[in-house]
Amino acid sequence: MGRITLEGVAKRFGDVEVIPPLNLDIEDGEFVVFVGPSGCGKSTLLRLIAGLEDVSDGRILIDGKDATDESPAKRGLAMVFQSYALYPHMSVRKNIAFPMKMAGMDQAEQDRRIEAAAKALNLTNYLDRKPGQLSGGQRQRVAIGRAIVREPSAFLFDEPLSNLDAALRVGMRLEISELHNRLKTTMIYVTHDQVEAMTMADKIVVLHAGRIEQVGSPLELYLRPKNAFVAAFIGSPKMNLFTGAAAAEYGATTIGVRPEHIAISPTAGKWQGRVGVSEHLGSDSFFYVEDTGLAETITVRSDGEVNMHHGDTVWLTPTEDKIHKFDANGDRIQ
Amino acid sequence: MARAVSRNTRIGWTIAAWVVALIIFFPILYTIITSLKSEQEAISGFNLIPSFTLQSYETVQSQNNYFRPFMNSVILAVGSTLLALIVAIPAAWAMAFSPTRRTKDILMWMLSTKMMPAVAVLVPIYLIFLRTGLMDTRIGLTVLLMLINLPIVIWMLYTYFREIPGEILEAARMDGATLRDEILYILTPMAVPGIASTMLLNIILAWNEAFWTIQLTTTNAAPLSAFIASFSSPQGLFWAKLSAASTMAIAPILILGWFSQKQLVRGLTFGAVK
Amino acid sequence: MATRQTASLARLMRAPAIILLLIWMAVPLAMTLYYSFLNYNLLNPAGTSWAGWFNYQYFYTDPAFFASIWNTLVLVLGVLFITVVGGIAIAILIDKPIFGQGIVRILVISPFFVMPPVAALIWKNMIMHPSYGVFADIAKFFGAAPVDWFAQYPLFSIILIVAWQWLPFATLILLTSLQSLDGEQMEAAEMDGAPAYSRFLYLVLPHMARAITVVILIQTIFLLGIYAEILVTTNGGPGTASTNLTFLIYRAARLNFDIGGAAAGGIIAVILTNIVAVFLMRAVGKNLD
């Protein structure tokens, strides 16, 4: 079981309010991603749940029990840290065994779980090495192994992939997703990378300046961002935002069109511009169109076979029903 | 820098460096050589090949009872270091792992006590020792040396402890470790190298201390630094004897010192140069 | 709660060290300050009386006091000059690709581990003795008359000994700093056509500036308190030719039993040291964050 409920949880450091009171429900077995730009309070929120920081206000319930004043150890949660936080003086085996040793588990059961975790994580051949002798990806797996063996009610991940190189990151992302499918345990995952959030999450919590901007499934956030911040944050490349006359035409202060919802044509269309940089990835082509008079550049995503080059004059046409409209406060106009 | 250097250039630099190093080391080398000469040899001109007699070492031991100051040095250096560690480990620990807004000020203030010139407190300390019967006692000097080096010990430990990443302690806490487990299984094994280095440097400093040991001892508690200082007024032929006593006084610390080069930089610059 | 408990435990853990150092700093210093206003001589303790500023006045009118301040200054600056210039040169030399670098390092730092009385006695008797020292042997070899160093150049002789002791310290710290210099930066400068001397002037020296400052400040603190080297070589003489402030105060307290006078001298020493200490603390404090 791993149902976590935050009721009016707030955090202040001295006079600085990093997290204003917020409410959040995390269902059992859910994969929840906290995402937001750096300094948005997502890690602090995770540490409040972990018990590594004391809340200034509010209550944290784990499986319906008030855990606000409980020590981290007693909350039954396991955490994977950004720096992996492996114990450098212990072998991989001892690292993984540590939480079980602390729990006073009998040796046979410890060994059984270590073997199982090592097998699942491809660590069997490394059990007697020290963390210093492992690669980044292997260390990450040890950290996960250390978390798994406790059979916690929820896993907490604090930007676990940010120290890995790009190729490894994609692989580990899949492994963590598979792990979730297999264990069906609640996972809370903090990242600043919206791609990780979109690919892994059942539910995404977008945070900005300590406030929750929107909670929803990846698709919900993509299709119906509640405000301009979420609209700009979710999706890659970023949504194009226009203000002024272009927006007024739709009765909004700001409008947003995703790059994939703009058609590009060499002959005719709604807005005229000139191709600046173009990126041809094969599967897709990205064009950064300048001199439209609407925004500095407009990003357009189109089919990989569309071939246009620097300096070409082009016409852009947004897909009308995919235009997002926001009012003066940045909130979505329905 | 990994750069291609011609062999000749390298040999040139090597010769220059070795010449400089040998000149700097020469007084120590010559003392060791002289300690292996007879008194007659020692004063009969420059000579690098001794007759390898241990006579001077025997004389120093039999005439001056070298063993007593040697033991005093060991007791003072090790004793004051252990005492300092007992006080400093918890303090450095607390400042490294639970820093408050005033931690930096406290550290700076501790450092400032190290800046106090010894002569400034010579009078009161001398009088206190005289009146309380601490004069020429090992215990009095041990406590004094502990106080003198305490700031350096705290600082060094603090810089070492700070290098232990906080996330590891949090990980242990998440893994269900109590404060006791945390100290026993995580922090102590990780802190031991730093504590050992600190200990090493402090033993060196305490061993070589030569102001208070000379002021506050006569015979009973005099360590080697005070004992050797008493050789300043020579009687008769004593070059070889002096060399033997000097060699014995510096040999243990010289060897310890060679092992502590890195820590020396950190300890003596209060972490300002690493 | 967990973290609040830690905070109060931390206070408890800090307390013994803070209290000990507080006592160690405040009590003797207060006593020194008090004594400095007394007419107090251990030979005549019954005649103790309030002296006001007399002890300070006495120091101020004593020619030995100014001689000792001057000697302190010469000693500190002389040693600093030798060790910093020599230290930079030797550090650069050791940093070159040489054979046996480890052993060279060990040889060079060794003098630092020699306790002051031993260092002084070795130099006094083995090296600089007018009839049996190595310098005398060298002079005789060239047919020159040996120099009686401690009689003729007492302060210079002491500077030489102290510089020998501290040269390793300067070298070691400057070497550490030198080794942290970015190799690519030097290579970039070389690619840009900067000759060796301008690489030294514009890259190496600025990089070492901080380490040099630290060396100067820390050495100054220790050099102001030089004592044993003087005691076992010249005993401050001839006359006051090699008496520094520390030695002058030691003499007042221990040889003349003038407690009040020595205390006043101690306070003056505190003031002088603190002027240096302020700068040191700033340099160190900057590195704390």
Side-chain angles (χ1 to χ4, degrees):
Chain A
M1 283 290 283
R3 209 182 112 85
I4 297 169
T5 310
L6 308 186
E7 287 179 358
V9 166
K11 179 64 182 172
R12 285 180 294 273
F13 289 116
D15 301 329
V16 187
E17 186 167 65
V18 260
I19 296 179
L22 58 79
N23 298 305
L24 184 66
D25 266 311
I26 294 164
E27 298 299 328
D28 183 33
E30 238 179 354
F31 196 119
V32 177
V33 174
F34 293 174
V35 70
S38 54
C40 71
K42 55 191 188 296
S43 281
T44 308
L45 192 56
L46 190 75
R47 293 166 58 81
L48 289 173
I49 296 172
L52 294 170
E53 302 276 356
D54 294 329
V55 298
S56 308
D57 249 320
R59 298 201 306 157
I60 296 172
L61 306 177
I62 298 175
D63 291 330
K65 281 208 320 272
D66 188 347
T68 317
D69 290 331
E70 205 71 87
S71 71
K74 299 228 173 84
R75 297 188 185 197
L77 309 173
M79 186 150 164
V80 175
F81 291 85
Q82 183 173 5
S83 65
Y84 320 138
L86 299 180
Y87 310 122
H89 56 289
M90 295 183 193
S91 65
V92 169
R93 182 188 301 279
K94 287 202 169 134
N95 261 284
I96 297 176
F98 189 73
M100 298 188 280
K101 185 175 166 190
M102 289 300 105
M105 195 179 290
D106 77 76
Q107 195 60 46
E109 177 63 11
Q110 284 191 26
D111 289 340
R112 197 189 60 73
R113 290 193 187 189
I114 292 170
E115 292 307 325
K119 212 169 146 209
L121 294 163
N122 276 328
L123 287 169
T124 311
N125 294 331
Y126 305 103
L127 279 176
D128 294 314
R129 299 219 188 149
K130 293 271 174 69
Q133 301 164 294
L134 301 181
S135 71
Q138 288 166 339
R139 284 183 214 184
Q140 183 63 77
R141 283 205 283 271
V142 176
I144 293 173
R146 191 174 63 183
I148 293 177
V149 291
R150 295 181 55 192
E151 299 182 352
S153 52
F155 290 95
L156 311 179
F157 293 91
D158 188 5
E159 308 223 15
L161 305 185
S162 56
N163 285 344
L164 299 177
D165 64 53
L168 217 47
R169 211 177 300 172
V170 175
M172 281 307 297
R173 210 163 74 194
L174 283 171
E175 279 190 46
I176 293 175
S177 292
E178 272 167 28
L179 189 70
H180 181 244
N181 290 336
R182 195 154 48 83
L183 298 176
K184 309 245 181 289
T185 309
T186 311
M187 292 188 175
I188 306 178
Y189 188 106
V190 162
T191 181
H192 61 267
D193 181 354
Q194 60 91 25
V195 176
E196 278 177 27
M198 295 296 282
T199 51
M200 302 170 89
D202 295 325
K203 183 157 96 185
I204 296 179
V205 177
V206 182
L207 287 152
H208 177 44
R211 277 175 295 111
I212 294 179
E213 295 287 348
Q214 188 169 1
V215 179
S217 72
L219 221 51
E220 265 172 50
L221 298 191
Y222 177 81
L223 296 173
R224 281 180 298 281
K226 251 173 135 174
N227 51 43
F229 175 80
V230 176
F233 194 79
I234 297 290
S236 172
K238 278 174 78 160
M239 182 188 278
N240 299 293
L241 291 173
F242 312 111
T243 51
E249 188 187 324
Y250 294 94
T253 312
T254 309
I255 57 165
V257 193
R258 295 199 183 275
E260 50 271 41
H261 298 145
I262 298 178
I264 189 163
S265 155
T267 52
K270 187 170 167 131
W271 301 319
Q272 191 198 3
R274 203 167 41 74
V275 175
V277 177
S278 56
E279 295 171 342
H280 298 278
L281 303 183
S283 58
D284 299 293
S285 294
F286 294 105
F287 302 101
Y288 300 92
V289 180
E290 294 165 351
D291 299 334
T292 54
L294 298 167
E296 186 88 352
T297 53
I298 298 180
T299 313
V300 179
R301 175 182 195 164
S302 71
D303 203 76
E305 276 142 50
V306 175
N307 207 358
M308 262 171 283
H309 294 100
H310 181 82
D312 293 353
T313 300
V314 291
W315 279 267
L316 307 176
T317 314
T319 313
E320 291 292 326
D321 61 340
K322 294 281 167 72
I323 293 175
H324 303 268
K325 289 164 241 165
F326 304 101
D327 66 16
N329 298 324
D331 290 332
R332 183 179 190 83
I333 301 171
Q334 291 305 326
Chain B
M1 274 177 286
R3 284 199 295 161
V5 175
S6 83
R7 202 176 161 77
N8 283 341
T9 321
R10 192 163 177 191
I11 289 172
W13 287 123
T14 301
I15 292 171
W18 276 87
V19 167
V20 169
L22 285 172
I23 289 174
I24 291 173
F25 190 69
F26 177 76
I28 298 172
L29 182 70
Y30 199 57
T31 303
I32 298 170
I33 291 172
T34 307
S35 75
L36 298 168
K37 293 175 179 174
S38 70
E39 288 298 351
Q40 204 49 52
E41 268 179 280
I43 57 164
S44 47
F46 186 71
N47 174 14
L48 286 176
I49 317 278
S51 59
F52 292 104
T53 168
L54 292 177
Q55 192 195 325
S56 308
Y57 287 91
E58 282 159 28
T59 317
V60 169
Q61 168 56 19
S62 61
Q63 283 185 5
N64 304 76
N65 192 13
Y66 173 85
F67 191 66
R68 186 168 181 87
F70 179 82
M71 277 319 290
N72 281 338
S73 271
V74 171
I75 291 168
L76 289 183
V78 176
S80 69
T81 302
L82 290 181
L83 224 61
L85 285 177
I86 291 172
V87 180
I89 289 175
W93 191 297
M95 289 193 281
F97 296 125
S98 312
T100 64
R101 254 179 270 173
R102 297 217 321 271
T103 295
K104 190 178 161 176
D105 296 331
I106 293 174
L107 275 165
M108 295 310 289
W109 166 75
M110 284 182 170
L111 185 57
S112 75
T113 64
K114 185 67 198 162
M115 312 284 164
M116 185 165 62
V119 278
V121 291
L122 170 62
V123 166
I125 296 295
Y126 180 71
L127 292 179
I128 290 170
F129 268 58
L130 212 55
R131 286 180 192 148
T132 53
L134 285 172
M135 191 59 85
D136 205 18
T137 60
R138 287 165 175 171
I139 178 73
L141 215 53
T142 304
V143 171
L144 191 81
L145 289 182
M146 180 271 266
L147 287 169
I148 288 172
N149 289 326
L150 190 57
I152 290 191
V153 175
I154 293 176
W155 261 85
M156 255 185 103
L157 289 175
Y158 171 76
T159 60
Y160 278 115
F161 287 168
R162 272 232 313 202
E163 280 172 17
I164 299 175
E167 281 200 343
I168 285 193
L169 301 185
E170 293 181 343
R173 234 169 280 164
M174 291 295 297
D175 283 346
T178 61
L179 184 64
R180 194 185 131 270
D181 297 329
E182 209 177 302
I183 291 172
L184 210 59
Y185 298 116
I186 309 294
L187 273 168
T188 307
M190 288 183 71
V192 159
I195 294 175
S197 315
T198 308
M199 203 170 137
L200 205 60
L201 176 69
N202 198 58
I203 287 177
I204 294 171
L205 291 178
W207 184 280
N208 286 346
E209 208 290 326
F211 179 78
W212 293 111
T213 51
I214 294 173
Q215 298 303 325
L216 301 176
T217 62
T218 46
T219 50
N220 182 42
L224 287 167
S225 54
F227 168 73
I228 299 282
S230 70
F231 273 71
S232 58
S233 34
Q235 311 102 3
L237 290 176
F238 86 127
W239 266 251
K241 235 171 72 185
L242 168 71
S243 298
S246 298
T247 303
M248 286 193 283
I250 61 175
I253 229 61
L254 203 54
I255 292 161
L256 274 188
W258 289 340
F259 289 107
S260 67
Q261 294 181 46
K262 274 269 160 204
Q263 295 81 303
L264 188 78
V265 174
R266 186 200 283 253
L268 288 174
T269 60
F270 307 101
V273 175
K274 263 186 235 162
Chain C
M1 266 189 267
T3 51
R4 259 165 239 165
Q5 264 171 21
T6 323
S8 56
L9 186 68
R11 207 166 304 134
L12 205 69
M13 287 160 79
R14 282 195 302 261
I18 293 177
I19 292 168
L20 269 178
L21 283 175
L22 206 62
I23 294 171
W24 164 240
M25 180 148 146
V27 173
L29 208 56
M31 286 171 76
T32 303
L33 196 63
Y34 172 66
Y35 288 139
S36 74
F37 292 106
L38 292 186
N39 267 322
Y40 183 11
N41 194 301
L42 280 185
L43 293 179
N44 181 20
T48 302
S49 61
W50 185 255
W53 295 97
F54 175 77
N55 288 320
Y56 292 93
Q57 262 168 10
Y58 177 78
F59 253 98
Y60 188 73
T61 51
D62 184 2
F65 172 67
F66 287 100
S68 76
I69 294 276
W70 174 248
N71 290 338
T72 306
L73 214 63
V74 172
L75 179 62
V76 170
L77 292 179
V79 173
L80 281 180
F81 179 77
I82 297 173
T83 53
V84 170
V85 174
I88 292 173
I90 297 172
I92 290 173
L93 188 59
I94 297 181
D95 196 37
K96 296 281 179 204
I98 55 169
F99 295 105
Q101 198 186 46
I103 301 173
V104 167
R105 260 180 87 125
I106 280 179
L107 293 181
V108 168
I109 64 162
S110 291
F112 188 74
F113 303 116
V114 177
M115 56 175 70
V118 170
L121 281 176
I122 289 177
W123 278 83
K124 180 187 180 186
N125 296 299
M126 320 290 293
I127 310 291
M128 297 167 91
H129 195 279
S131 27
Y132 307 120
V134 174
F135 283 179
D137 290 335
I138 294 171
K140 276 182 226 156
F141 179 80
F142 286 107
V147 177
D148 188 353
W149 294 93
F150 290 100
Q152 287 172 278
Y153 311 103
L155 196 55
F156 173 76
S157 306
I158 289 166
I159 289 174
L160 198 61
I161 298 171
V162 177
W164 178 72
Q165 288 181 276
W166 284 93
L167 185 59
F169 172 80
T171 305
L172 193 59
I173 285 172
L174 295 174
L175 182 63
T176 308
S177 154
L178 196 61
Q179 283 171 342
S180 69
L181 182 63
D182 184 5
E184 286 192 353
Q185 211 183 66
M186 289 294 275
E187 280 166 2
E190 232 179 315
M191 296 287 292
D192 291 343
Y197 70 89
S198 55
R199 290 204 298 272
F200 173 75
L201 214 59
Y202 297 111
L203 284 177
V204 179
L205 218 48
H207 175 81
M208 288 206 288
R210 179 180 173 75
I212 293 173
T213 316
V214 170
V215 165
I216 290 176
L217 293 169
I218 290 175
Q219 280 200 29
T220 305
I221 299 289
F222 281 95
L223 295 178
L224 286 171
I226 289 295
Y227 165 75
E229 291 85 341
I230 299 174
L231 178 75
V232 299
T233 55
T234 62
N235 212 354
T240 55
S242 59
T243 299
N244 69 353
L245 188 58
T246 302
F247 206 77
L248 185 76
I249 296 166
Y250 150 77
R251 261 209 224 161
R254 299 296 309 280
L255 304 180
N256 304 332
F257 303 100
D258 178 8
I259 295 299
I267 295 298
I268 294 170
V270 170
I271 293 166
L272 290 180
T273 312
N274 272 331
I275 295 171
V276 184
V278 167
F279 289 104
L280 175 59
M281 304 274 283
R282 270 196 206 154
V284 174
K286 263 189 212 153
N287 215 42
L288 251 188
D289 306 303

